Amino acid sequence: MTTEALLPGDLETALPTTLFRFATAGSVDDGKSTLVGRLLHDSKAILADTLDAVARTSADRGFGGDKGGIDLALLTDGLRAEREQGITIDVAYRYFATDRRSFILADCPGHVQYTKNTVTGASTADAVVVLIDARKGVLEQTRRHLSVLQLLRVAHVIVAVNKIDLVDFSESVFRDIEADVQQVGRELGLGSDGISDLLVVPVSALDGDNVVERSERTPWYTGPALLEVLETLPAADELESHLESFRFPVQLVIRPQGALAPDAVAAGLDVEAYRDYRAYAGQITEGSVKVGDKVSVLTPGQSPRTTTVAGIDFAGKSLDEAAAPQSVAIRLADEFDVARGDTIAAAGTVREASADLYAALCWLSPKPLREGQKVLVKHGTRTVQALVRSVSGKLDLASFKLEGASSLELNDIGHAQLRLAAPLPLENYLHHRRTGAFLVIDPLDGNTLAAGLVKDHPGDHEDERYSI
Amino acid sequence: MSTYLSEETQVTDAAVSTRLSSLDTLESEAIHIIREVVAEFEKPALLFSGGKDSVVMLHLATKAFWPGKVPFPVLHVDTGHNFPEVIDFRDRTVERLGLKLVVGSVQEFIDRGELAERADGTRNPLQTVPLLDAIQQNKFDAVFGGGRRDEDKARAKERILSLRDEFGQWDPRNQRPELWNLYNGRHTVGQHVRAFPISNWTELDIWRYIERENIELPGLYYAHEREVFARDGMWRAVGEVSQPLPHEEVITKTVRYRTVGDMSCTGAVESDAFTVADVVVEVAASTLTERGATRADDRISEAAMEDRKKDGYF
Ligand SMILES: Nc1nc2c(ncn2[C@@H]2O[C@H](COP(=O)(O)OP(=O)(O)O)[C@@H](O)[C@H]2O)c(=O)[nH]1
Ligand SMILES: [Mg+2]
């Protein structure tokens, strides 16, 4: 970015308008950090002082031998221990923008805790870039990563076949790997389930081939460079929002009872009109809502109550309609008792709340899960106690087989049945990436134990692919 | 399955046009986080220095609870080395919004002999002790900060809700995974949580938002004339706690600040950005990070921020 290139007029049109979140996954040394560094560097998101610091450290460590160069991985490996050991320990978030989009990038380390990190990165991602070392091809670890991404319903999976420079930019090496990837995709239903798509791109993260611009060194590859892909894919909320029915977990009740904001009053707010103001604050998780829409209020243990939306407010503005992921405050026509933890949903679109929860659990804690254990389940804005009734098996992520198991350990993904202390408006994760997701929390130390994906019944979704 | 697929492809075009802008998406995310913390914690507070990130945080909080009052106090850790106009701005803001202000004072700790002045005279790193003391005295269980992950490589690893132990320490190798938009704020007695609702904003996002929302900032963020001298490759303002050495020549320059902190270690940049629109253009074209350009304390070592954060810094 140079000063003369950006005039005020240009900026107006050049400003990125939408947000796109993506994550990287891959085994240790496949080049994730280098790729991320390359994207940041080539999209000019790295400012001079940062680059200087990285260049100095690279030289101090003798990076690239006599050839020299900059170790781009240092741009993301931010912790002292990471730089010293040359590995990524924890998910790092990075930001860059092109004139089409602003990107939020989660660089997820691939070592022992790969499931934990991949699940974390993928849970919010619109796309995940999985790296493969062109010299190694599809490994067991690749199968595991793709399997996790399929389970989490990531909309776009992009496989970057990296270090293509080290196989002399060979087309046949790439085509073989591409075929293997597509084969795994077929086994998993990735790219053919109507939810996700699967793309394969040859890259050299180190030299920059096909990262930001298409490379002349891979003339046999006619597809887009990685960044072009990321710039043009539809984000998950573009794909989902208009398909789904309105869902709004109530975070809190806004009821000032006279304690109005002095700045709003000073700006002319009608104090009398707002004396009895009452609205439900939250973020729309799915779908959209209009003033006048019929909605149901779902309260655990009560049958749904139906009313209409009287108003949608946001910081002094009245909106006619709002959609996910907007944060708003909703007023209802009837004076119901509505509280945090309740859900407001489009009337007639919700099934009965249930206290029996069938789920796939991604176990993220060193403390194993045991049958009979008491845990907390956080779903939307409600946290309830739960009992682990049974563990019915765990997935072998590499062979896609379901194995018998009665406990789950760190990085395992398994099936369990839980009994909830109060019924929740659970929805199948397959079609609801927000209302079908929950956390399992340790009631003793409060740590997050697992990421949970709601299933309709014990034999639901991924079992279609995981043969027993 | 196959019917689901065909439905999906049909709506894609329609959906694109109605997508939120990146600023609206970031605003929505921040407000969701602020509301979650208020709903789940007993006694939150917001760190408010009068700096641009904390001003944006407070603005988001007013939007989150409108037409009600912001339902928590603000906490300022006063280094005693403040720019007077920033303190004035702080007090006016607190008054305008009807907030309670809690002040933790570095000077008082130094006077009581519980903190020692550093050889380099910088007080930013000394803020940790009064901060933790104020958190403990007031029994705050959640503290909102305006930290952004793009500021520093250690911050890039920070969670949105970040657990601190009894000693206020951050353990970067032992953080809770953060999944979907489900935030886990569980903590035990003595622990507290730092909440960073604008984690995903960049410096440019902040400025574009300030411009869009017409948010008032202390005047020193905009170009003005000031007596300065050069030190460590940046322009330092002449003031009570930042006096030039005999060989350091004092000149008048048109400058502005990209961050406001301890006057003894915060530098100004030469700038002609007199309005917020000018600043947006300047930041978009800048080739230096805000910390690299203006914070002497972050230049000490590659891991300066990481070390301070582990001890309980913001
Ligand atoms: N030749 C070549 N080396 C690469 C490429 N990408 C990464 N590397 C090297 O592979 C090693 C591991 O890279 P790194 O980014 O740390 O991998 P990570 O563990 O996946 O983050 C480093 O020595 C990189 O310089 C590439 O495209 N070509
Ligand atoms: Mg790495």
Side-chain angles (χ1 to χ4, degrees), chain A residues 32-34 73 76-77 86-88 107 109:
Chain A
K32 287 176 305 300
S33 299
T34 308
T76 56
D77 293 342
I87 54 157
T88 315
D107 180 18

Side-chain angles (χ1 to χ4, degrees), chain A residues 1 17 19 21 48-49 57 80 82 90 93 95 123 193-194 237-238 251 261 325 327 340 378 446-448, chain B residues 1 8 19 21-22 28-29 32 36 40 67 156-157 175-176 180 183-184 200 284 287 289 292 302 306-307:
Chain A
M1 267 184 264
T17 52
L19 205 60
R21 299 173 202 251
D49 53 333
T57 310
R80 190 195 299 273
E82 291 177 323
D90 196 7
Y93 294 90
Y95 303 84
S123 73
D193 57 2
D237 59 8
E238 290 171 61
Q251 289 188 276
S327 284
R340 175 175 173 81
K378 181 166 187 176
N447 284 331
T448 301
Chain B
M1 280 312 298
E8 192 157 48
R19 240 197 126 201
S21 73
S22 62
S28 222
E29 176 182 85
H32 173 249
E36 276 304 279
E40 294 221 321
K157 306 256 159 177
Q175 302 193 79
R176 285 177 184 167
W180 298 287
Y183 299 101
N184 175 6
N200 286 326
T287 59
T289 63
E302 236 193 345
E306 179 181 342
D307 294 340

Side-chain angles (χ1 to χ4, degrees), chain A residues 247-284:
Chain A
R247 298 287 183 271
F248 184 80
V250 174
Q251 289 188 276
L252 45 84
V253 184
I254 299 181
R255 206 171 154 226
Q257 293 182 290
L260 294 165
D263 58 320
V265 174
L269 185 85
D270 181 347
V271 177
E272 277 314 307
Y274 282 89
R275 194 170 297 282
D276 297 319
Y277 184 86
R278 184 188 180 93
Y280 307 106
Q283 183 174 29
I284 302 173

